[in-house]
Amino acid sequence: MGKTIAEKILSSHSGRDAKAGDIVIADLDFMIGQDGTSGVAIDSFRKMNAKKVFDPKKIAIIIDHSSPSPNEGVSAIHKKIREFSKEQGISLYDIGCGVCHQITPEQGHVVPGDLAIGADSHTCTYGAINVFSTGIGSTDLAAGMISGKLWFKAPETLKVVFKGNFPKGVYSKDLILNFIGKIGADGATYLALEFYGDVIKAMSVDARMTISNMAIECGAKVGIMEADEKTLAYEKLHATRKPNPVSADKDAVYKEVIEIDITKLEPQIAKPHTVDNVSPISQVLGTPIQQAYIGTCTNGRLEDFQIAAKMLKGKKVHKDCRLIIAPASKEIMLDMINDGTYQTLIEAGAVGVTPGCGPCVGTHNGVPSDGENVISSANRNFKGRMGNPNAFIYLASPATVAASMLEGKIADPRKYL
Amino acid sequence: MKLNGKARLPQNKIINDINTDYVISGRYKFKIQDPNELAKHVMEDLDPEFYSRLQKGDFLVAGRNFGCGSSREQAPMAIKYANISAVLAKSFARIFYRNCFNLGLPAIEVDTDQINEGDELEVDLDNGVIRNKTKNTELKIAPLPKTMQILLADGGLVEHFKKYGGFKV
């Protein structure tokens, strides 16, 4: 019987013939923590009486969630992280380097065929480059840092095939929002997702990351894709380690195969307060917006800002709105400066904040007021997510966010393309 | 293992998809390191009165997909340090489920529709049953996965690692 990508990677890393349902203890190729989770991981590391990490080259901590520190509590955590990183000789990406899920693939820490964990739920992002990567908690990270291993239950897999052609104004964000709206916030709990189809092949690696990033929003353990020539070109640019691409067997056993034709898809919006509360844009057009955000591990990459800049060039953000932008990494910010994207957006009225998570997690950089509506390119719109439980968050593609900034209300990007 | 306490339902009802941002908001988890302080804000955005209703040993009771969203271990930590003895839900999100057992906090899948706020419950993990003493009914629970039983018996992953120096699951 054939194997899925998840079963193959867990088999090769555990030395066992792992089939869905099996518990395996597997070797980890890389692991990360961020400033919201690493403090607890360091506490657990100490409580386990550990002295040394198993291999400092396979661990990175990224200070991205509250960066630079907005208060003394966060500063104490950042200090703890800096001291631990120095003591253990592990990679530290300090304030301004960017979001962990951009840094990890961009700096070549993970390559196709790897098994990686991160103390952050959106670690599933690297599935876009054929990595079995999944979010775990702080104490699991501590155990990984000590032993280089973690236990996994090999998941069953849903095969998702995107067919058809991209309509104008529709992006990878719209596809994944539509998918999550269809299967629900727990539609893939405990499962792996494998994404296929000509639509995926046609996408850039950056656009693919948007899809894998949001696999967790329907509960999935991983959202993985095959490596193709685009993946390998990405690796050539970013990584020094040799990729080891893994494909599913032709006779792999899937829990279900879902086919989605995107040819008639409209831009999609997730409405407050859940990610699976999705509707086509036509149903929410005209909703007044006070604040917008383009950035995050979901949609804070160069092409995301280029789309927004194209729409906002020579125009102004609506007078009743604030547009905040945070490139997902320093590298992206430099690319934006070099090609004029950054200047275009700032001239249009955008406010640039530090590369990192920006206002997504509600600790700094733009907490909305009571009753305000926010439109964001992020991945979560939970009540209180951006720091105020009395605000309302809509999720959309960067193009939809930019269009909405021109009108001061939710607007259709197809008008401006 | 037998646990006794009252059922505590956020907003006094069975709610699905309670995410870890609701369990403990990002506003607090980033700046507060003391778990006893974190505990005071448990479920605050969903039910500001929740913490004040709690008594030692109570159960947090909810619907489907409890603990979805962020991987923050501060969520089960806030629950545990609020002196809640177990979380009962129809289903759990994967990362939260692991985190609970890593902290020695039982997360139990059970049909919670027949449980109301304030019901006196006895959770009997050895016999796979929850006794609702207020309603005089019994709810069957499936045995915990073996890995989770091991972590729970050891008192969480920290103690497990101290005992074995690695995973023995």
Side-chain angles (χ1 to χ4, degrees):
Chain A
M1 216 160 50
K3 283 193 166 70
T4 63
I5 299 176
E7 288 169 331
K8 281 190 171 181
I9 293 179
L10 289 175
S11 293
S12 66
H13 285 72
S14 66
R16 283 193 44 195
D17 182 29
K19 302 294 284 180
D22 292 346
I23 303 280
V24 297
I25 297 172
D27 293 321
L28 303 168
D29 295 302
F30 205 75
M31 65 196 77
I32 61 153
Q34 37 91 340
D35 51 334
T37 56
S38 295
V40 177
I42 294 165
D43 293 346
S44 291
F45 182 90
R46 306 276 191 224
K47 284 185 209 156
M48 288 166 163
N49 298 326
K51 297 284 176 282
K52 278 278 164 204
V53 299
F54 85 110
D55 183 351
K57 293 189 294 298
K58 293 186 176 179
I59 305 166
I61 302 182
I62 299 97
I63 296 182
D64 57 359
H65 277 58
S66 297
S67 151
S69 168
N71 59 55
E72 70 276 22
V74 172
S75 300
I77 295 171
H78 286 179
K79 184 170 182 233
K80 184 194 277 191
I81 290 169
R82 290 184 186 115
E83 287 171 354
F84 180 79
S85 303
K86 200 166 185 179
E87 168 197 308
Q88 297 293 329
I90 64 180
S91 296
L92 172 70
Y93 292 92
D94 213 317
I95 60 168
C97 288
V99 187
C100 52
H101 305 311
Q102 179 60 20
I103 297 286
T104 304
E106 185 185 271
Q107 297 297 319
H109 288 309
V110 288
V111 297
D114 273 359
L115 176 61
I117 58 165
D120 187 281
S121 61
H122 293 110
T123 304
C124 48
T125 308
Y126 331 138
I129 54 167
N130 195 233
V131 176
F132 184 113
S133 59
T134 194
I136 42 84
S138 299
T139 302
D140 272 335
L141 175 62
M145 290 197 292
I146 295 166
S147 67
K149 296 173 193 295
L150 192 67
W151 71 269
F152 295 89
K153 184 176 173 187
E156 290 187 284
T157 298
L158 282 183
K159 180 176 181 174
V160 184
V161 186
F162 287 110
K163 293 162 51 173
N165 295 303
F166 266 109
K168 191 172 99 171
V170 171
Y171 301 88
S172 62
K173 179 62 159 289
D174 300 295
L175 264 60
I176 191 65
L177 285 177
N178 177 257
F179 177 74
I180 292 163
K182 277 183 177 143
I183 76 165
D186 61 352
T189 298
Y190 301 109
L191 303 176
L193 299 173
E194 280 182 15
F195 295 108
Y196 291 94
D198 292 341
V199 174
I200 300 287
K201 284 186 191 145
M203 280 179 202
S204 67
V205 170
D206 284 358
R208 294 174 189 177
M209 284 189 189
T210 304
I211 291 192
S212 293
N213 174 269
M214 293 192 70
I216 181 69
E217 305 310 329
C218 54
K221 186 179 280 193
V222 292
I224 201 161
M225 300 178 187
E226 286 185 313
D228 63 4
E229 67 284 357
K230 285 181 186 170
T231 322
L232 297 176
Y234 183 95
E235 293 309 321
K236 213 169 171 184
L237 207 59
H238 295 281
T240 50
R241 262 195 310 130
K242 191 175 162 291
N244 180 30
V246 175
S247 296
D249 290 327
K250 285 203 166 52
D251 58 345
V253 178
Y254 293 99
K255 184 176 166 66
E256 199 182 333
V257 179
I258 301 171
E259 294 196 351
I260 297 172
D261 191 324
I262 67 155
T263 308
K264 288 181 179 161
L265 197 66
E266 273 187 60
Q268 305 283 303
I269 299 257
K271 298 171 289 185
H273 293 290
T274 58
V275 185
D276 61 354
N277 187 18
V278 176
S279 69
I281 194 165
S282 51
Q283 291 180 18
V284 286
L285 284 175
T287 305
I289 296 290
Q290 288 77 41
Q291 180 171 306
Y293 176 40
I294 303 176
T296 76
C297 52
T298 317
N299 276 119
R301 301 186 177 84
L302 182 63
E303 64 181 35
D304 298 319
F305 293 106
Q306 285 172 335
I307 294 161
K310 198 176 152 194
M311 295 168 70
L312 289 166
K313 192 172 176 61
K315 296 175 183 160
K316 292 283 179 209
V317 166
H318 191 277
K319 62 179 173 49
D320 298 331
C321 297
R322 314 177 291 274
L323 169 62
I324 297 167
I325 59 169
S329 73
K330 186 170 78 178
E331 301 297 321
I332 292 168
M333 185 166 175
L334 288 170
D335 288 344
M336 289 168 68
I337 289 170
N338 284 332
D339 78 357
T341 299
Y342 204 79
Q343 183 164 352
T344 300
L345 291 170
I346 300 297
E347 280 177 351
V351 178
V353 301
T354 314
C357 300
C360 172
V361 213
T363 60
H364 67 342
N365 283 347
V367 176
S369 313
D370 284 0
E372 282 193 332
N373 291 331
V374 180
I375 190 162
S376 166
S377 72
N379 44 37
R380 286 198 179 125
N381 60 349
F382 303 151
K383 191 174 180 244
R385 173 74 178 180
M386 295 180 80
N388 185 345
N390 300 314
F392 302 86
I393 307 167
Y394 294 80
L395 304 177
S397 74
T400 300
V401 175
S404 305
M405 281 302 89
L406 289 169
E407 298 190 12
K409 57 191 183 189
I410 294 179
D412 194 325
R414 293 173 292 190
K415 281 161 68 178
Y416 300 99
L417 288 163
Chain B
M1 187 190 280
K2 272 185 191 166
L3 304 165
N4 282 280
K6 284 197 173 81
R8 294 297 173 201
L9 285 58
Q11 297 182 358
N12 298 323
K13 60 187 183 189
I14 296 295
I15 302 176
N16 295 329
D17 302 319
I18 292 181
N19 61 64
T20 51
D21 275 71
Y22 292 167
V23 178
I24 187 73
S25 163
R27 300 198 293 291
Y28 302 119
K29 76 132 176 172
F30 282 97
K31 65 179 179 194
I32 302 176
Q33 293 197 67
D34 177 356
N36 293 304
E37 284 301 310
L38 271 179
K40 292 177 186 168
H41 301 286
V42 69
M43 308 303 301
E44 189 177 282
D45 282 357
L46 204 57
D47 183 346
E49 310 300 317
F50 189 76
Y51 178 75
S52 62
R53 291 210 299 279
L54 292 176
Q55 289 166 347
K56 192 171 166 54
D58 282 353
F59 302 102
L60 174 47
V61 182
R64 277 193 345 257
N65 201 27
F66 188 93
C68 59
S70 158
S71 67
R72 60 191 67 176
E73 199 164 295
Q74 290 93 336
M77 192 187 282
I79 293 171
K80 185 180 168 179
Y81 281 83
N83 290 314
I84 290 168
S85 59
V87 186
L88 315 181
K90 290 182 192 171
S91 65
F92 291 93
R94 186 189 64 83
I95 304 174
F96 177 84
Y97 189 73
R98 277 183 86 112
N99 286 345
C100 280
F101 289 91
N102 283 345
L103 294 181
L105 174 72
I108 297 160
E109 289 196 343
V110 59
D111 184 355
T112 49
D113 274 341
Q114 304 308 316
I115 301 176
N116 290 104
E117 170 67 24
D119 282 359
E120 291 274 358
L121 305 179
E122 180 180 73
V123 174
D124 182 347
L125 284 173
D126 304 323
N127 294 304
V129 66
I130 295 175
R131 295 181 192 94
N132 188 329
K133 293 190 274 191
T134 303
K135 294 199 167 62
N136 210 12
T137 55
E138 288 197 350
L139 297 165
K140 286 255 178 303
I141 48 178
L144 291 172
K146 193 163 159 266
T147 309
M148 299 323 193
Q149 288 183 26
I150 293 169
L151 290 171
L152 201 57
D154 286 341
L157 185 56
V158 166
E159 296 305 318
H160 181 84
F161 253 58
K162 277 162 73 176
K163 191 166 159 187
Y164 299 108
F167 286 108
K168 200 172 166 85
V169 293

